[in-house]
Amino acid sequence: MFMCQFPLELGALERLKGWRKHSKIAVAYVLETWSYALHETRHELALLNDFDHVFVLNAQSIETLSRYVTVPISFLPSATDCLLATPPIPSVERVIDVFSFGRRAAPIHRHLLGLAKADPEFFYIFDTAKGGEITDFAEHRMQTANLLKRSRYTIGYNPRDLGVYHREGAPREDALSTRYFEAAAGGAITLGSAPLCDEFNDLFDWPDAVINLPTSTKNLKEFLDELEQEPERLLAARRNNIYQSLRRHDWSHRWRDILTTIGLLPTSQHVERIAKLDRLANLFLKSEQPHQVARADS
C-alpha cells in the first residue's frame, strides 16, 4: 500500500525500482486530489495505473481523476484512532470550554478571545504558532486526543465558509476533513459548519454531529449560554459522537473496506480490534439512557 497527500508525491515511486514485482496486490491512497489541479500532475497520476485499486479522500474528484487513471477508483473517508481518542467510562471532566486547532474563523476566534479575557473561568485553547515543526507525531496525536476528550466544544468550518478556495475561478469541491472524525471520537461537540457533500450526510447521519455557528455571530456568549440550557441535547450529541465513531469511524473500519474491495481477508488481530471497538461502543450505549443514542446502521 502506498499513501501520500498530494499527487506530486507519487513521483517517489519512480525511484523504487521493481517495486511492483514484490506485491501481488497493490493499492494507493491519495488524500488531496482537487480536480482543477489534476492536469498539472498528469505524469505522476499515470503512475497510479501500476496499482490494482486507487482510493481517494475527495470523492468529488473521482470523475475528473478517471481521465488520467485507468484502474478502479474508490472514495475512502478519513477516520481516527478511536481507542486513543475515546474518553473513559465514567468520562473525564470536560474542563476545556472550547478547543480550536488548525484553520479557524477569525471573527469567532476574536469573540472567544474576548470571552477568555472577560471571564477567567472560561477556558479557551487555541493555536498560538503557525507552521511549527512537530517533533514527535505520536506524542502530537496523543495530546490532540487528550485535549478533545476534555473539551466541551471544538470549532470546525467548511473551508468555503471561511473564504478559502484553492484557486480563483476553479470549481469548488468539498471534502470531509479529519477534524470532524477526531472531535466526534473524543465526544467534543463541533460548532461551525459541515462540508456540503453527500459524504458528510452519509457518515455523520445523527443529530447535532455539527451545530451550526455562523461566522457572523455577534453575541457568542449568548449562543453558548443558550446551548448550555439544553443539557439533554448536549449529552445526546456527545454520546452519539462517541458511539457512532466506535462503530464506524476507526481506521480499522477503513482497512476493512480496503480489504473487502480488493478481496482479502482480515487478520485475527484486525477482527479482534473491531470486536473491541464494538464492546466499547456497547458500554457507552449502556452507560446512559439508550434512547439518547442513535444506533449505527453498520
Side-chain angles (χ1 to χ4, degrees):
M1 180 173 181
F2 182 87
M3 181 175 176
C4 64
Q5 184 169 358
F6 299 102
L8 193 63
E9 297 168 8
L10 292 165
L13 291 166
E14 294 184 303
R15 297 192 293 274
L16 301 175
K17 302 302 181 183
W19 69 269
R20 192 61 179 91
K21 298 177 183 178
H22 299 281
S23 301
K24 182 177 179 180
I25 299 176
V27 299
Y29 188 24
V30 187
L31 302 184
E32 302 215 24
T33 52
W34 305 105
S35 295
Y36 73 85
L38 293 178
H39 186 71
E40 299 169 4
T41 55
R42 58 193 180 279
H43 172 77
E44 286 79 13
L45 290 174
L47 298 172
L48 290 173
N49 293 321
D50 288 331
F51 291 87
D52 297 292
H53 205 102
V54 173
F55 296 91
V56 296
L57 184 61
N58 179 8
Q60 296 182 12
S61 70
I62 292 179
E63 181 178 354
T64 303
L65 185 60
S66 297
R67 302 173 190 171
Y68 306 96
V69 179
T70 59
V71 299
I73 306 170
S74 297
F75 165 63
L76 186 72
S78 185
T80 192
D81 180 350
C82 288
L83 293 183
L84 175 67
T86 301
I89 299 176
S91 180
V92 292
E93 185 178 357
R94 295 189 178 272
V95 295
I96 301 169
D97 290 293
V98 180
F99 174 33
S100 174
F101 60 103
R103 182 183 288 128
R104 63 193 178 206
I108 298 299
H109 175 61
R110 287 194 296 269
H111 287 315
L112 288 168
L113 279 179
L115 290 178
K117 291 177 182 178
D119 182 359
E121 293 188 1
F122 186 83
F123 192 6
Y124 175 41
I125 288 186
F126 54 93
D127 296 334
T128 56
K130 186 176 182 180
E133 181 181 352
I134 295 172
T135 56
D136 187 293
F137 174 81
E139 289 180 0
H140 179 70
R141 302 313 314 148
M142 183 183 72
Q143 177 171 273
T144 300
N146 283 336
L147 291 172
L148 283 169
K149 69 180 68 172
R150 288 166 173 81
S151 299
R152 301 180 65 77
Y153 304 103
T154 185
I155 305 296
Y157 283 93
N158 182 9
R160 75 164 61 191
D161 293 330
L162 304 180
V164 177
Y165 307 118
H166 292 280
R167 183 174 296 175
E168 190 67 31
R172 298 176 182 177
E173 295 178 344
D174 290 332
L176 184 50
S177 66
T178 302
R179 67 167 56 247
Y180 296 99
F181 294 93
E182 293 178 323
I189 296 174
T190 296
L191 306 178
S193 62
L196 299 177
C197 55
D198 293 338
E199 302 85 75
F200 179 85
N201 298 328
D202 292 340
L203 295 165
F204 289 84
D205 55 352
W206 60 89
D208 292 330
V210 172
I211 295 180
N212 186 51
L213 174 61
T215 58
S216 59
T217 299
K218 299 298 183 182
N219 195 334
L220 186 56
K221 185 178 187 305
E222 181 178 321
F223 179 91
L224 295 175
D225 287 345
E226 289 179 355
L227 276 180
E228 292 299 318
Q229 297 306 309
E230 300 182 85
E232 293 298 315
R233 176 190 179 186
L234 299 180
L235 175 63
R238 292 193 175 94
R239 309 300 301 185
N240 286 332
N241 282 351
I242 296 169
Y243 176 76
Q244 298 285 350
S245 297
L246 288 166
R247 290 296 306 277
R248 304 162 66 182
H249 297 323
D250 183 69
W251 278 115
S252 61
H253 298 123
R254 303 298 179 258
W255 189 241
R256 180 178 59 188
D257 293 340
I258 292 173
L259 295 180
T260 300
T261 300
I262 61 179
L264 293 179
L265 296 175
T267 63
S268 58
Q269 294 94 330
H270 186 184
V271 171
E272 174 53 32
R273 180 180 176 94
I274 291 180
K276 184 175 182 179
L277 291 164
D278 287 342
R279 290 194 297 269
L280 189 56
N282 289 332
L283 287 176
F284 272 94
L285 188 66
K286 296 174 182 177
S287 65
E288 295 293 340
Q289 295 299 317
H291 72 271
Q292 293 179 330
V293 180
R295 293 183 178 274
D297 293 332
S298 59

